[in-house]
Amino acid sequence: MNLVKASQHLYLVVEMASKLVLPFSCILFLASFMLPVLSHLQDPHLLANTRSGNGGFLKAMQGCRKGDTVKGIRNLKLYLAHYGYLNYQKNPNVTDLEEDHFDEELEAAVKSYQVYYHLNATGTLDGSTVSQMVMPRCGYHDKETHQHTHSSLHIVSRYQFFPGSPKWTRRQLTYGFGPLFPTQFIPPVDQAFGKWDAASGYFTFSRATSYEGADLKITFERVDHRDGSPFDGSGGVLAHAFSPQDGRLHFDADERWAIGAVPNAFDMESVALHEIGHLLGLGHSQFQSAIMWSSFSAGVTKGLSSDDIEGLRALYGS
């Protein structure tokens, strides 16, 4: 439903309600239900997440390059802006974000994305680039800056930290699960904390006596769950977590989750390992075998690598 159709629908609902002589409070209730829907339709972050989830618009634009004007390029701009590769809002030399034109700034952003993922940096939306973009992934952005350089990033080896390198000031942390978290997936998350505990030589983790009192709060969420980073349904963004000392970790409840390598499903422990890394202060790694690599494949499992451990030790000290 686009914004115009949604507005027409709202008008018809209210008109019908008034003809049926519904109480004024009922009409206000209907309007209060629809208006948030209209506002979310205009949210660029929601649009970026949703459209990156199914990947349809990206596949349709394969082969696009600088100078092309093709319907859907504005969505590519939103996608790259969402993951940290450009910022149209703060660059005075860039044309309207809503324009479906493949400009020089977009070409530079595509090249930056290709370099980050070890692809051939052509600046063209080629097949290998599209294949990487439609991979299910973590919702946290890849870069801490919207510039096409690593000069302002805090990078050690192939890993990076959050802006300002926030970290926990204590070594013993507790974690808890929200009331709707599926009980069958609690053990693999426990195991993920245990692996970080054993490998870090720094942190110890224990289950909190209550969810409200935990340092790290873990929940299943759907679509817009009021944290500024809405999920996109099945496919696309799998989960996201916040930097220290926020402590929130959210899994997308619309994904197909599993324990272990199950075809067409995502291993809960593997994704939990990645998101716990964010909770501890790690950004994404450019090393594909690292757990902090941003994307995941269905039907496989993954563990911690030396790159992940070196990143944590660089942040907290050995």
Side-chain angles (χ1 to χ4, degrees):
M1 181 185 297
N2 60 32
L3 187 58
V4 174
K5 289 183 179 178
S7 300
Q8 292 171 344
H9 181 69
L10 175 60
Y11 175 79
L12 289 173
V13 168
V14 175
E15 184 181 42
M16 289 174 63
S18 63
K19 286 181 179 179
L20 292 171
V21 199
L22 287 174
F24 183 64
S25 59
C26 257
I27 298 174
L28 284 179
F29 172 77
L30 290 169
S32 67
F33 176 79
M34 286 299 297
L35 287 176
V37 175
L38 299 181
S39 65
H40 291 324
L41 286 172
Q42 301 176 75
D43 184 347
H45 295 294
L46 178 58
L47 293 174
N49 278 342
T50 301
R51 287 163 183 162
S52 68
N54 56 40
F57 83 93
L58 288 165
K59 294 175 182 177
M61 290 191 300
Q62 184 170 317
C64 286
R65 64 187 66 200
K66 185 174 72 173
D68 290 347
T69 300
V70 178
K71 183 178 180 180
I73 285 180
R74 67 188 67 185
N75 297 331
L76 174 62
K77 294 175 183 178
L78 285 170
Y79 176 94
L80 290 169
H82 180 75
Y83 290 114
Y85 293 93
L86 51 76
N87 191 339
Y88 278 89
Q89 289 73 33
K90 295 182 180 179
N91 191 331
N93 299 318
V94 175
T95 55
D96 186 2
L97 176 61
E98 294 301 310
E99 185 181 0
D100 280 325
H101 180 66
F102 204 123
D103 55 23
E104 185 174 351
E105 182 73 4
L106 181 56
E107 181 188 51
V110 172
K111 285 182 178 179
S112 181
Y113 181 91
Q114 290 167 332
V115 168
Y116 188 93
Y117 285 98
H118 314 294
L119 304 171
N120 190 17
T122 61
T124 298
L125 202 65
D126 54 32
S128 58
T129 304
V130 170
S131 295
Q132 179 61 50
M133 286 181 170
V134 300
M135 283 280 290
R137 59 164 293 153
C138 170
Y140 181 70
H141 49 80
D142 295 329
K143 291 193 170 188
E144 313 303 337
T145 176
H146 296 290
Q147 304 298 320
H148 304 305
T149 174
H150 290 261
S151 60
S152 62
L153 293 179
H154 184 177
I155 292 181
V156 181
S157 181
R158 292 169 178 163
Y159 46 82
Q160 56 187 308
F161 311 131
F162 288 87
S165 300
K167 55 186 179 181
W168 294 91
T169 55
R170 58 188 185 280
R171 298 187 178 198
Q172 296 180 335
L173 298 175
T174 60
Y175 62 92
F177 298 92
L180 299 180
F181 195 92
T183 55
Q184 69 267 31
F185 294 130
I186 290 178
V189 178
D190 286 335
Q191 292 167 16
F193 276 109
K195 289 183 177 180
W196 274 111
D197 186 326
S200 70
Y202 185 92
F203 285 105
T204 57
F205 303 99
S206 60
R207 187 95 67 84
T209 56
S210 71
Y211 169 75
E212 292 76 13
D215 298 312
L216 311 173
K217 295 178 171 63
I218 308 165
T219 58
F220 259 38
E221 305 288 353
R222 280 191 167 91
V223 197
D224 184 8
H225 48 285
R226 302 180 184 278
D227 68 350
S229 300
F231 285 133
D232 52 7
S234 180
V237 176
L238 302 174
H240 57 229
F242 293 80
S243 63
Q245 300 184 28
D246 183 300
R248 289 175 293 168
L249 192 171
H250 301 154
F251 293 93
D252 189 347
D254 288 323
E255 302 295 343
R256 186 183 178 198
W257 296 101
I259 299 175
V262 175
N264 302 315
F266 296 96
D267 175 44
M268 174 59 66
E269 182 181 320
S270 298
V271 178
L273 278 169
H274 177 99
E275 300 303 334
I276 293 169
H278 286 322
L279 290 177
L280 300 180
L282 293 180
H284 284 155
S285 172
Q286 290 186 271
F287 189 26
Q288 192 167 0
S289 66
I291 198 64
M292 297 312 296
W293 177 257
S294 66
S295 58
F296 291 87
S297 297
V300 300
T301 60
K302 195 172 183 180
L304 296 174
S305 74
S306 59
D307 192 75
D308 303 307
I309 304 306
E310 288 171 9
L312 194 70
R313 290 175 178 171
L315 181 59
Y316 287 95
S318 56

